[in-house]
Structures are given as structure tokens and as C-alpha cells.
Amino acid sequence: MSGMLSRLLGLAASAVVLVSGPALGQDGPAQMTDEMRRMITEGARGSLAVQVEQGTAGGPGVGAAQLSIELYHQSLAVYQMTRTLEENGTALLGDLPVGLAVRPVVRIEYDGVSYVELGPSMDAEHPDAAVKLTVYQTTHEEPAWRVAMRHIMVQRVKDGTIVNETLVVENPTDKTWFGGEPLREDKGTTVRVGLPALVTQQDVHLDSGFHGWCCTTFENGELTVQMPMMPGQTPYKYTYFIPTQPEQVDLTFSAVAPTDSIVVFVPDDGTETEATTLAARGTQDTGRQRMRTFTAEHVDAGQRAGVVLRTLRTAAEVQTPAASVGAPFPWVMAAGLVGAVVLAVLVVVMMRGRG
């Protein structure tokens, strides 16, 4: 190992930046302290081996592309550097600060798309790590993509209804799809999801899988993702708030693509529920309350599915969760968002301009 470290330390210098602002562009409390700076500059050192592979059959080798590496301590970016790959798609990075427990984030632009991979935790006891990152050729031809899973959880609060959705899309090909119409600033649309009529953009929170509102739009009741779709499965998590309706909450939608599985969880609180396409599957205890479960499998693209909640209890009968008291939207739960913010950035594949 000492020989390897000597080789790493002898490599050509890379551009290195010590980062001291809030993590990931968020207005969070995490800031670089003097003790953290000392541990970064004087603490243990480690190494990172990066391998970038071509994932498209018959595609060319990656070649000498440029990497960007960031080290995160919890949610704070504490160190950045760049390095050019060897012709065989590898890079050995040495003299990395691991006096603090950090996780590396490796980014590379290839064929107009930025790919991101999260590495394992590194610290003084585990100073060396490896990251493998796969890139793909791109295409403008829409693949036969599908929704592997759509899970919807409904929660009633005093001011209305909170809906948490997880959507997992799957691209079965070995090429990254740029997306199609509508185009916006040279970004193509890949995923389109209809939301209930009373929801506005201010009521929507992009939890993970997105790249913020720079690559996402919400117009005419439709949430659209304008990022390339990688091969394999990509999860999107989002939450929205529906203001109180006196008679019903309509959560039916048209399937955005052929869908393998839909599961809807509704509070078991006496609310009358009318299901479309979905079948009732009993109740489950989620720890906070019992939920009724409605499911469907193998739903065709465009087929209507979902539930309508009728005879809603009055606002006085619904107890708002403590985490939502005083928040502008009940779904803003800070404890859960700290980790989710990091995850959201790490799973993103963001389209870049080709000009």
C-alpha cells in the first residue's frame, strides 16, 4: 500500500478547492469550522481510485475526460478537485483529506450528459476507496420506457391533504435518452406526471431524483422532468399539498407510461374511498396510524387509476402532525430533508448544452 500511496502522491497536481459555504447550495446551518479546516489540512490522508466505463454496447472508450471530485462531510462539501482520466478511463487520486469522515462524489460529462456517482465513506481508519462510474452513448429516439413502481401515500391534516409520491421509471436500453417535446432551453422532456387540479407549483416539493426547478416544470397541472433518462431505473420522490376541499379529494391520474405496479395508501379514518382500476388490499399499520391499501399491476399507458376521497372529516377532526406546525407547508419536515437533499443531488443526471 505504501508504494501505491507514493505513486498517488507523485501524480501531477490537480486543481483543488477548499469549500466553506453551505452544502449543495442550501440555506442550511452546516458551515466550515476552524477545527474542521485543521483536520482537513493537517489530518489523515487517503486515496481514491476511479474507473469510468462505457455502458453502451459497441460504444467507444471514454478516453481522457475530466473528472470533478467533491468530498462531503455529512451534508457539507469540504473539498473539491479536478483530474483528467487516463486514456484507459482510470484515475488515481491521492492526498485526500480523511481526518473527517467524508464521502466522495464523482462527476463526469460525457456525450453532453453529466453523470454523478457516490463513493463509500472514507475516514482515518478507512483512508482508501474506489468508485466505478458508467457512462452511456446518447440518443434522441424515445425508448420503450416504463414505470416500474408508483407508490402514493395520503395524509390528511387540518389545512388539507399531503401526498407523498415515489415514481420509479425504467429505461430498458443501454443508451441515455435526451428527451423529446416540449423543449425548453435545449432540454428535452422525459417524464410527465399529472397532479390534482388545485395544486400549484408552490405546493410541490421535489424531494429527490430531480435537479431542482432548473430542469423541472409545473404547468397546466403537469409536473415535467427535463433531464436525460439513463438506462436502468431512476427514482423520483416528490410531495405536494392539496388545500382543503369540502366534498372530495380526487387522486386519480392517467398512467404516464406502462406501469408495473401502483400502490396507494389512504388513512383508515372512516373516509369514504372510491377506487378506479385499483383493488382494495386491506389495511396496514405504518407505526403512526393504520392505512388502507389499494393496488394495481400491469396498468396500460394512459389508463386512469387512483382514488377519490369522499365525505372528508372536518378540519377539527383531523390532527395536524407536530412536525408541520408553524411550517408554510406541512410536508416540510427538516429532519428528513437533510439526508434527502444530498441524495437528490447524487442521483441526478443533468443535461448540458452541446454548443
Side-chain angles (χ1 to χ4, degrees):
M1 179 62 70
S2 59
M4 178 181 178
L5 289 177
S6 297
R7 179 186 175 193
L8 291 169
L9 295 174
L11 292 175
S14 301
V16 176
V17 179
L18 195 64
V19 182
S20 59
L24 309 177
Q26 303 298 310
D27 296 325
Q31 296 285 338
M32 185 81 74
T33 65
D34 290 341
E35 177 62 17
M36 291 169 66
R37 290 189 180 89
R38 186 190 66 78
M39 295 180 70
I40 290 171
T41 57
E42 302 176 11
R45 319 310 284 179
S47 65
L48 180 68
V50 179
Q51 172 75 55
V52 181
E53 297 182 343
Q54 173 62 256
T56 302
V62 178
Q66 188 174 74
L67 295 174
S68 172
I69 299 93
E70 297 173 301
L71 301 183
Y72 281 86
H73 173 65
Q74 298 175 353
S75 61
L76 179 67
V78 296
Y79 191 83
Q80 294 178 342
M81 67 185 303
T82 59
R83 170 65 56 82
T84 300
L85 288 171
E86 303 291 337
E87 287 294 335
N88 63 359
T90 63
L92 296 174
L93 315 170
D95 198 30
L96 301 180
V98 294
L100 296 169
V102 295
R103 295 196 71 176
V105 177
V106 180
R107 307 168 191 267
I108 185 173
E109 285 207 16
Y110 179 79
D111 200 18
V113 176
S114 181
Y115 295 86
V116 183
E117 188 65 45
L118 173 66
S121 181
M122 303 171 67
D123 55 32
E125 295 184 358
H126 308 88
D128 304 314
V131 172
K132 181 185 291 186
L133 194 152
T134 303
V135 298
Y136 303 90
Q137 296 294 101
T138 56
T139 180
H140 287 277
E141 182 178 350
E142 182 174 359
W145 65 278
R146 62 192 305 104
V147 174
M149 180 189 78
R150 186 171 184 175
H151 281 191
I152 302 171
M153 180 167 286
V154 179
Q155 181 183 9
R156 291 280 297 148
V157 294
K158 287 184 178 180
D159 296 330
T161 302
I162 306 167
V163 182
N164 297 91
E165 290 206 33
T166 300
L167 184 75
V168 180
V169 303
E170 181 173 349
N171 176 355
T173 73
D174 63 356
K175 292 184 178 181
T176 293
W177 176 41
F178 265 111
E181 300 291 341
L183 299 175
R184 182 174 67 94
E185 298 178 355
D186 295 326
K187 299 183 179 78
T189 296
T190 50
V191 180
R192 304 163 73 162
V193 181
L195 300 186
L198 293 183
V199 175
T200 67
Q201 181 171 326
Q202 289 69 34
D203 299 321
V204 179
H205 189 274
L206 307 176
D207 298 323
S208 66
F210 301 87
H211 195 261
W213 291 105
C214 72
C215 302
T216 312
T217 65
F218 183 71
E219 297 176 356
N220 301 319
E222 190 172 67
L223 186 68
T224 61
V225 178
Q226 295 184 312
M227 296 186 298
M229 183 184 292
M230 285 181 62
Q233 294 189 346
T234 303
Y236 298 95
K237 295 185 178 182
Y238 50 96
T239 306
Y240 51 92
F241 177 67
I242 306 172
T244 297
Q245 301 183 74
E247 296 181 355
Q248 67 179 33
V249 172
D250 189 345
L251 296 174
T252 57
F253 52 86
S254 294
V256 297
T259 302
D260 295 339
S261 171
I262 299 175
V263 182
V264 178
F265 299 95
V266 177
D268 187 16
D269 59 3
T271 298
E272 178 186 339
T273 304
E274 177 186 334
T276 299
T277 302
L278 307 177
R281 301 297 184 188
T283 62
Q284 296 184 26
D285 190 348
T286 64
R288 298 185 63 181
Q289 69 178 122
R290 293 197 66 81
M291 305 289 284
R292 287 175 290 169
T293 306
F294 298 83
T295 69
E297 295 182 350
H298 309 302
V299 179
D300 294 333
Q303 184 176 350
R304 297 290 296 176
V307 297
V308 176
L309 307 182
R310 303 186 189 279
T311 60
L312 300 176
R313 294 186 298 163
T314 64
E317 296 176 296
V318 180
Q319 182 175 359
T320 301
S324 70
V325 174
F329 301 109
W331 38 263
V332 180
M333 301 178 182
L337 288 181
V338 172
V341 166
V342 177
L343 178 62
V345 172
L346 302 182
V347 300
V348 152
V349 183
M350 183 173 63
M351 180 165 67
R352 305 289 190 182
R354 287 186 157 190

